[in-house]
Amino acid sequence: MKGRLACSLFLLVACLVLAGCWDYIEIESLAFVFGLGVDQVEPDFVVVLEMVKTSGGGQQPQVEPKVLATKGQSVSSAGSALSNPAGQRAFWSHAYVFLMSEQVARQGIVPAMEYLARSRHIRSTVWVFITKDCTVEEVFKSRPPVANSVSEHLNAIVLMQQAIAGFIPLQVWQLGHEFAAEGISAVLPTVKLVHESGDLVPIVEGTAVFKGDRMVGWLDGQESDLLCLLKGVAQRAFYVIETKVGEHGYFPITYELVGNQVQMKPVIRGGRAAISLTLTMQFGVEEVGRAPIVFRDEEMVKSVEAQLATAFTRRIREFLGKIQGEYNADILGFGQLLKRKHPQVWRSLREDWDLYYRHLEVELDVQCKVVLTGLSAESVRVRD
């Protein structure tokens, strides 16, 4: 009994004496990388980092972002070299965003992003963006109005995606899956700079369209809204549409999208494949201005719904014409759907899908319902 007690006491003392870290890094010696990007791939990689140094303590530590850029033979070597001018070791695990310039996207983004997909130091949940009409360095050197750093600002925008719409966020691991999948082309959200109170502020709006790993074109904010609709992405979007109100003429009325459902299925007729696409949308009425409209009138509501369906049918047809005829990029995954539902047909079309997709027939059915009218079913009345 005494032997067991002595042994237990010895083990307890040994644990207390020998406890500790066999390896450690002082936090004061680290510069946290919140954002990174690539402005150029050839002839050398131009890598840009937004590094953040914290100081002070308590409830409100001071955060000071610094932007550094350098050239190197690869993303990893250039990023590592930036620890030298920073005077501190770069710590990558807190990175929020990864940006690539249009130049890099046009040439092909695999060389620029391969390090992120492979590195054990960077999380695969980093958000990926393409810069539009500006460089990565210019974006990181801009001034967000509220956030401490551009990377935190962009991360906050992504987390509000459902409320502001206009783009589809994508993380590194998701982008890798889209590149590897058959029958679908990848898209990435775009970052651009806008003037706000004398400063350049980064915003996320629009979409870069890819074929393989090369960017082939852009979608603007409205076209990106349609892309979100057709992919079934939940979002809160507002549309101002000229609406005919009885015999009173046309008025700009603002509608809020409050729900949308998409059904896509391939159909085979006469040996040819086509896509049946049904889009059901629910709207709330946000503003009617001076329109003399009464939503208690059932016939008037039906007229508004029919006009909404016609307007969105036209917009979607134009959108499909752009992605099929101009870009020839299957960003809606029609080929992927055909592969899943009719694998034998897909095998016969796979080699020539680029040619077939350009002329693929899409049977479109758009249905719109007005489900909310706010606190009033009619416009504000003004006495003559």
Side-chain angles (χ1 to χ4, degrees), residues 202-218:
I203 65 170
V204 181
E205 181 183 79
T207 302
V209 178
F210 285 81
K211 198 170 179 60
D213 74 324
R214 297 176 185 270
M215 193 188 82
V216 294
W218 305 100

Side-chain angles (χ1 to χ4, degrees), residues 220-235:
D220 61 25
Q222 292 185 351
E223 292 166 338
S224 298
D225 284 343
L226 295 177
L227 177 62
C228 293
L229 282 175
L230 297 176
K231 279 183 168 287
V233 176
Q235 61 175 337

Side-chain angles (χ1 to χ4, degrees), residues 36 38 45 47 49 70-83 90 92 111-112 114-116 118-119 121-122:
L36 65 155
V38 179
F45 285 81
V47 177
L49 301 184
T70 192
K71 291 183 178 180
Q73 294 181 323
S74 67
V75 174
S76 56
S77 63
S80 177
L82 284 172
S83 293
W92 301 85
E114 200 270 345
Y115 172 65
L116 271 77
R118 180 183 300 273
S119 175
H121 301 295
I122 302 177

Side-chain angles (χ1 to χ4, degrees), residues 230 263-267 269 273-278 313 316-317 319-321 323-324 330 332 334 353 356-366:
L230 297 176
Q263 291 183 338
M264 285 194 298
K265 61 180 181 180
V267 292
R269 294 195 182 96
I275 298 294
S276 173
L277 195 161
T278 301
T313 298
I316 293 172
R317 283 295 179 196
F319 172 80
L320 292 173
I323 64 172
Q324 288 183 261
D330 189 2
L332 293 176
F334 291 155
W353 181 244
Y356 194 93
Y357 168 75
R358 188 183 292 274
H359 304 287
L360 180 68
E361 180 184 358
V362 179
E363 301 171 357
L364 181 61
D365 179 23
V366 179

Side-chain angles (χ1 to χ4, degrees), residues 134-161:
C134 56
T135 66
V136 173
E137 187 171 0
E138 288 171 341
V139 171
F140 280 142
K141 287 184 175 180
S142 61
R143 297 175 60 86
V146 177
N148 291 315
S149 68
V150 169
S151 300
E152 291 175 299
H153 175 73
L154 295 177
N155 183 64
I157 292 175
V158 169
L159 297 180
M160 296 189 298
Q161 187 270 339

